[in-house]
């Protein structure tokens, strides 16, 4: 078997391996296979990419529904066999289970990165207050729905999906219990081939999308946009504040 070797901190590698195995419990073909992991490296199957197709995107939508519907104990919880926090990219990620999505999203995914961006001088006082108004709405449950916690990839931008001869395969997760729209929103964040096919296919096969879910895509991108502000600077602030402004 051809393999790929990744080097990072020991806890980041262990968290990624735990996430891949947890997602694979739902559909082994949906994620890259873990060969081994130790303190120095994560070894996975090597994926050979091929051209994307509408058929592969439609199949991926069904796979994503299966993975999500495998479920999680709560919103924000870590994958099975993992305790403590994780990572999203190079940023630390709090993994503390909550029964309500809105409260988890406000307190673990929005405010920590907004406050960090403010301390870094990347958000001004007025912008921080706008973020805090969104957090108040989230805590009040204005965007909660009846869907149970999903088993999500958590960092599903286009670069973390590779099309192979066996279909689209996910890599490099920030796996957690979360809302299904998180993964759908991240596919849309920086562009994804055949995105409409994935979204439409997902909607056909899932019983857990809220009414008007397409209008909530920007809301579910806010966390990752704030992470980009913290990690990469002020160029992401206009896009971030525009997304937040739709919901306050």
């Amino acid at each position: 078997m051809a393999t790929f070797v990744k080097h990072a901190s020991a806890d980041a590698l262990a968290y990624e391996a735990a996430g891949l195995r947890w997602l694979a419990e739902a559909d082994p073909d949906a994620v890259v296979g873990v060969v081994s992991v130790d303190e120095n490296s994560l070894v996975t199957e090597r994926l050979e990419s091929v051209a994307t197709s509408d058929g592969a995107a439609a199949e991926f939508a069904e796979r994503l529904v299966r993975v999500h519907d495998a479920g999680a104990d709560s919103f924000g919880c870590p994958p099975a066999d993992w305790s403590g926090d994780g990572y999203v990219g190079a940023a630390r990620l709090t993994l503390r289970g909550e029964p309500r999505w809105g409260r988890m999203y406000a307190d673990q995914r929005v405010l920590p990165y907004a406050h960090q961006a403010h301390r870094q001088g990347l958000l001004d006082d007025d912008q921080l207050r706008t973020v805090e108004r969104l957090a108040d709405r989230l805590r009040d449950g204005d965007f909660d729905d009846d869907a149970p916690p999903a088993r999500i990839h958590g960092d599903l931008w286009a670069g973390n999906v590779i099309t192979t001869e066996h279909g689209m395969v996910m890599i490099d997760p920030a796996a957690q219990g979360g809302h299904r729209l998180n993964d759908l929103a991240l596919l849309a964040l920086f562009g994804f081939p055949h995105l409409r096919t994935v979204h439409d296919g997902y909607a056909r096969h899932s019983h857990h999308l809220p009414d008007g879910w397409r209008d909530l895509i920007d809301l579910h991108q806010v966390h990752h946009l704030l992470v980009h502000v913290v990690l990469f600077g002020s160029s992401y602030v206009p896009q971030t504040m525009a997304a937040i402004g739709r919901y306050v």
Side-chain angles (χ1 to χ4, degrees):
M1 177 193 301
T3 59
F4 174 82
V5 181
K6 180 176 181 177
H7 300 285
S9 66
D11 58 337
L13 295 171
Y15 168 60
E16 182 175 340
L20 287 169
R21 288 168 172 151
W22 189 52
L23 298 173
E25 289 176 3
D27 186 338
D29 295 325
V31 294
V32 68
V34 175
V35 176
S36 65
V37 63
D38 59 31
E39 292 184 355
N40 300 307
S41 62
L42 169 64
V43 181
T44 64
E45 299 171 301
R46 180 174 293 276
L47 302 177
E48 299 295 336
S49 63
V50 301
T52 60
S53 68
D54 213 48
E59 181 183 44
F60 179 64
E62 294 186 53
R63 286 180 173 176
L64 196 57
V65 170
R66 284 196 295 272
V67 172
H68 287 172
D69 285 353
D73 290 340
S74 57
F75 296 103
C77 73
D81 300 323
W82 182 256
S83 60
D85 293 339
Y87 293 87
V88 54
R92 293 289 295 187
L93 183 73
T94 300
L95 295 171
R96 186 178 66 249
E98 289 278 358
R100 289 181 43 235
W101 174 79
R103 181 173 292 278
M104 184 281 295
Y105 197 61
D107 293 341
Q108 298 186 46
R109 302 291 179 261
V110 173
L111 287 178
Y113 302 95
H115 288 150
Q116 185 174 345
H118 183 256
R119 290 193 299 270
Q120 293 173 213
L122 299 168
L123 294 182
D124 62 30
D125 291 347
D126 287 341
Q127 289 168 328
L128 180 60
R129 282 192 286 270
T130 299
V131 179
E132 290 172 340
R133 289 200 300 274
L134 174 62
D136 288 341
R137 290 200 66 192
L138 287 162
R139 284 202 204 92
D140 288 343
D142 290 359
F143 305 102
D144 285 343
D145 56 55
D146 295 331
R151 186 173 303 197
I152 66 171
H153 177 284
D155 193 15
L156 199 60
W157 69 288
N160 284 339
V161 182
I162 297 177
T163 303
T164 75
E165 63 179 4
H166 303 295
M168 291 183 172
V169 178
M170 296 182 286
I171 64 170
D172 199 15
Q176 60 192 276
H179 197 292
R180 288 157 176 80
L181 281 178
N182 177 275
D183 283 345
L184 296 181
L186 293 186
L187 287 173
L189 184 55
F190 299 122
F192 187 82
H194 306 283
L195 177 65
R196 180 174 290 278
T197 298
V198 176
H199 278 186
D200 290 350
Y202 191 100
R204 281 194 302 273
H205 293 285
S206 176
H207 302 291
H208 293 298
L209 288 178
D211 294 338
W213 64 269
R214 295 179 195 272
D215 293 329
L216 297 172
I217 290 291
D218 286 359
L219 176 64
H220 288 262
Q221 292 176 347
V222 167
H223 167 228
H224 278 69
L225 287 169
L226 284 167
V227 169
H228 276 71
V229 171
V230 167
L231 294 180
F232 305 116
S234 61
S235 64
Y236 286 96
V237 170
Q239 184 180 0
T240 303
M241 298 311 300
I244 292 169
R246 293 195 59 195
Y247 306 100
V248 295

